[in-house]
Amino acid sequence: MSTYNKMKKRRDNWKGKAVKRQRELHYQKKENKRIKKERDHYKQAWRDTKKALEELKRRSKTLSVCDKTSVVFLTLQLFVVARIGFRAISRVLAVMAPQLGLAKAPCPQTIINWVARLAIVRMQDDMPRVDLRTGIPLFSRGFILLLDATIGLGQGKIMTVLALDTTHYLVHPGAPSLQQVKCVAVSVADTWTGETIAALLQKLIARIGSPVAYLKDGGTDLGKALRLLNGKGLGSVSIDDLSHFVANLLKHEYQAHPLFDVFIRTCGKVSTRLKQSLLACLAPPKVSTKARFMNLHRLVKWAARLLQLSPRGRAAKGSLLQKLRDRLDQLPQCRRFINDFLLDAEPILECQAILKTKGLNQDSVDECRPIIERIPNSYIRCGLTDWLEKHFVIAKTLGLHETGMPISSDTIESLFGVANSPGTGEIKAANRIAQRIPVLCGEITRQDAENVLGISVKEQREWSCSSPSLMKQRRDVFSDGGGLEKIPTAVGHQNIELIVGSKTGQKVPFVAGKSVPYENNSEP
């Protein structure tokens, strides 16, 4: 074959391959374009569907206030969760009325009635069987009762009893909060003694059965009440609150310290000199004079930080350092007390954080032992070690040495603080505060709102105490034509007493023994 023919044949083969390749590329380009278009279409459809699902989720979580139950539910949430007063709730709902579709916001008195009726609902219901959030059965292994009385909530003292599930640390990762406890009894009296506390606990045991343990502070009245119950065969294990025990240890060692009184007086003087000055931001924190050693570490830490701002050396005339030193009074002379106290208190606070968060179990005890060894004061170190060993034996007895045993009554202390703030007025009436304590425990559900609407006015009056409002008495006395004769005498005065499971506000007959629903022989 000639050279020309060979070249022509190769050219024709190349043209055929080029045409075939061009067709394949054209087809592939069209297919890629079609696939890309379909992909973009499916991506957009997926994004639209995702937005629609998120909108549906948002709408499902959004409160629809189209009926009265929803209004009551929203109002109770504002009181319990937001913790604002009754007048503030009414103003908030009035502002949000157009967005919520409300024709008229409820007035403060209506909100007060709803809260009072929710307390009735909570105290009428028996002990809950299932955790509303997790769906896990409650009190299957018994419950622990937290006991305490208020210190300064107006006339009368409020004795409150809360029930906490013994398996709390098995279900919840942190320390108990108000959402994980149930108020099972609240009562007001002018004074509480061991006999009256024991009588209240007897009524409570008749309703819910005996607890596996009592968690209390070191009060002598509570201790006497438990001894009286032990004598009647109704006693249970007693757990001493860690915070109160530690406060007593610190009080034993430092109340007689030669610089303690000087330190307290000096802090008051320094506070007066710092306020209304350029250095007002350095004013000390407020520490209650009652049960002072519960929070004294805050004041001591403040003093230590304040002294760090004044290093050794001469200060320039007219400088902030010079002004600070002029206001320190005798605080620099208290350095030895401050340093000694912090060396003992800081390891204790570290152990408290561990035991309150994790509960008292084998792991938390092993974690606290080396920390306790850092405490230089032998009395405090040995006292805390003895408390730890004693309560670890109690945890073993209750079968909680692996999961964790509650050792702090901070929940009931915070309950008193919350109950004392919203909607109580200038005069703190103990009976009116006590009526709202059951509302602040547990979680609010729509079923609660429905039950509130089912409480009648007559039923609310049967549960309310007969004593009139202190604010109403105040208005009657100071109004025109008023006088001391407007104040009712003690005749007919009745303090409030609410016990869970009661159908009315009347007293409950005592029934000895342990209630069957809370016995569990298969568990420790």
Side-chain angles (χ1 to χ4, degrees):
M1 183 181 293
S2 63
T3 305
Y4 175 78
N5 290 332
K6 290 180 180 179
M7 183 185 66
K8 185 177 180 182
K9 185 177 181 179
R10 287 196 299 268
R11 183 194 65 185
D12 293 339
N13 291 337
W14 175 81
K15 282 184 177 181
K17 290 180 180 179
V19 170
K20 183 180 179 181
R21 191 182 301 113
Q22 191 272 339
R23 289 175 181 173
E24 291 176 354
L25 291 175
H26 182 68
Y27 176 77
Q28 188 177 3
K29 185 177 180 180
K30 287 177 63 177
E31 284 296 306
N32 289 341
K33 187 175 181 181
R34 180 184 64 80
I35 294 172
K36 185 177 180 180
K37 187 176 181 181
E38 290 182 359
R39 182 198 64 185
D40 294 341
H41 173 74
Y42 289 133
K43 278 188 175 182
Q44 185 62 37
W46 176 78
R47 285 193 289 265
D48 295 340
T49 305
K50 186 178 179 181
K51 286 183 180 180
L53 287 175
E54 291 177 353
E55 181 66 19
L56 289 175
K57 289 181 180 180
R58 188 185 64 80
R59 289 182 181 180
S60 64
K61 294 181 181 179
T62 301
L63 182 63
S64 176
V65 287
C66 55
D67 55 352
K68 192 171 183 180
T69 302
S70 300
V71 177
V72 175
F73 179 58
L74 176 59
T75 302
L76 296 177
Q77 289 276 19
L78 290 174
F79 178 77
V80 176
V81 181
R83 295 177 183 174
I84 57 179
F86 302 119
R87 291 182 177 84
I89 294 174
S90 181
R91 290 193 293 267
V92 168
L93 293 178
V95 172
M96 300 298 296
Q99 290 76 17
L100 298 175
L102 293 176
K104 182 182 178 182
C107 66
Q109 186 57 50
T110 300
I111 299 172
I112 292 174
N113 291 333
W114 287 345
V115 171
R117 293 177 184 183
L118 178 59
I120 297 173
V121 170
R122 291 280 176 87
M123 301 309 291
Q124 282 181 341
D125 293 340
D126 293 329
M127 299 280 277
R129 302 297 178 181
V130 178
D131 191 322
L132 297 175
R133 178 176 298 179
T134 61
I136 298 175
L138 290 174
F139 308 121
S140 59
R141 295 177 58 180
F143 54 90
I144 298 174
L145 290 183
L146 282 68
L147 314 175
D148 203 359
T150 56
I151 295 179
L153 289 181
Q155 297 180 348
K157 296 183 68 177
I158 305 173
M159 173 61 65
T160 304
V161 184
L162 304 181
L164 174 65
D165 194 358
T166 55
T167 59
H168 168 81
Y169 287 103
L170 189 62
V171 180
H172 303 280
S177 64
L178 291 177
Q179 285 72 32
Q180 283 107 39
V181 296
K182 179 174 177 60
C183 179
V184 292
V186 56
S187 181
V188 178
D190 294 336
T191 182
W192 285 100
T193 61
E195 291 79 5
T196 55
I197 297 173
L200 177 64
L201 292 176
Q202 281 183 283
K203 298 177 186 178
L204 181 60
I205 292 173
R207 288 290 183 186
I208 65 175
S210 297
V212 298
Y214 294 97
L215 179 54
K216 61 176 185 61
D217 58 21
T220 56
D221 50 355
L222 295 175
K224 183 178 181 181
L226 297 188
R227 289 194 298 272
L228 292 175
L229 291 178
N230 287 331
K232 298 180 180 180
L234 301 173
S236 298
V237 178
S238 177
I239 303 173
D240 296 329
D241 173 62
L242 176 60
S243 299
H244 287 83
F245 179 80
V246 166
N248 288 331
L249 288 179
L250 294 174
K251 182 178 180 180
H252 180 274
E253 285 298 291
Y254 286 97
Q255 191 173 28
H257 195 283
L259 294 176
F260 174 72
D261 292 334
V262 178
F263 173 76
I264 296 298
R265 290 196 304 269
T266 302
C267 288
K269 294 179 181 179
V270 173
S271 176
T272 303
R273 295 177 180 180
L274 289 177
K275 292 177 180 178
Q276 305 298 326
S277 72
L278 187 62
L279 302 173
C281 62
L282 303 178
K286 293 183 179 180
V287 176
S288 175
T289 55
K290 296 181 179 180
R292 185 191 301 275
F293 281 87
M294 290 286 292
N295 298 306
L296 184 61
H297 61 276
R298 298 178 182 175
L299 192 62
V300 178
K301 284 185 176 181
W302 163 83
R305 292 174 181 174
L306 193 66
L307 292 177
Q308 289 177 357
L309 299 177
S310 177
R312 297 181 182 275
R314 184 177 179 180
K317 186 176 181 180
S319 63
L320 288 178
L321 180 57
Q322 181 63 42
K323 294 179 180 179
L324 175 62
R325 288 179 176 177
D326 293 341
R327 291 166 172 80
L328 291 181
D329 197 65
Q330 300 183 50
L331 199 61
Q333 286 74 29
C334 300
R335 287 182 186 272
R336 184 166 62 86
F337 168 81
I338 295 172
N339 294 334
D340 293 344
F341 189 90
L342 288 180
L343 287 175
D344 291 330
E346 287 178 346
I348 293 176
L349 295 174
E350 193 174 344
C351 288
Q352 281 184 335
I354 295 172
L355 294 173
K356 290 180 180 180
T357 304
K358 299 181 180 180
L360 194 148
N361 54 32
Q362 186 65 61
D363 294 336
S364 60
V365 169
D366 294 340
E367 191 175 352
C368 288
R369 289 188 188 280
I371 300 176
I372 295 176
E373 293 300 324
R374 290 167 21 205
I375 301 176
N377 189 294
S378 60
Y379 175 81
I380 296 177
R381 183 176 62 253
C382 295
L384 188 56
T385 302
D386 293 342
W387 180 94
L388 199 65
E389 293 176 352
K390 171 188 173 182
H391 285 77
F392 187 69
V393 173
I394 296 176
K396 282 186 175 181
T397 304
L398 300 178
L400 301 177
H401 59 288
E402 294 181 356
T403 59
M405 182 180 73
I407 45 82
S408 174
S409 61
D410 288 351
T411 307
I412 199 168
E413 300 288 349
S414 63
L415 175 62
F416 290 147
V418 172
N420 193 26
S421 53
T424 54
E426 297 178 1
I427 302 179
K428 311 298 182 183
N431 283 291
R432 298 179 71 85
I433 295 173
Q435 286 178 317
R436 298 162 192 164
I437 283 180
V439 178
L440 300 171
C441 301
E443 297 183 356
I444 302 295
T445 63
R446 290 186 64 86
Q447 185 61 43
D448 290 331
E450 294 177 3
N451 295 336
V452 164
L453 296 176
I455 301 294
S456 63
V457 176
K458 181 180 178 181
E459 194 171 3
Q460 181 180 349
R461 289 177 178 175
E462 289 176 354
W463 279 82
S464 302
C465 60
S466 60
S467 59
S469 167
L470 293 182
M471 292 303 298
K472 183 178 184 302
Q473 294 181 32
R474 182 186 181 93
R475 288 193 297 268
D476 293 340
V477 171
F478 287 111
S479 61
D480 295 338
L484 294 178
E485 63 277 2
K486 296 290 184 178
I487 301 178
T489 60
V491 179
H493 176 76
Q494 179 184 356
N495 286 321
I496 191 171
E497 181 179 292
L498 304 177
I499 298 178
V500 68
S502 302
K503 299 305 178 184
T504 63
Q506 300 175 356
K507 293 185 177 181
V508 183
F510 169 67
V511 179
K514 191 172 183 178
S515 59
V516 176
Y518 298 100
E519 290 183 343
N520 192 346
N521 297 326
S522 63
E523 299 288 349

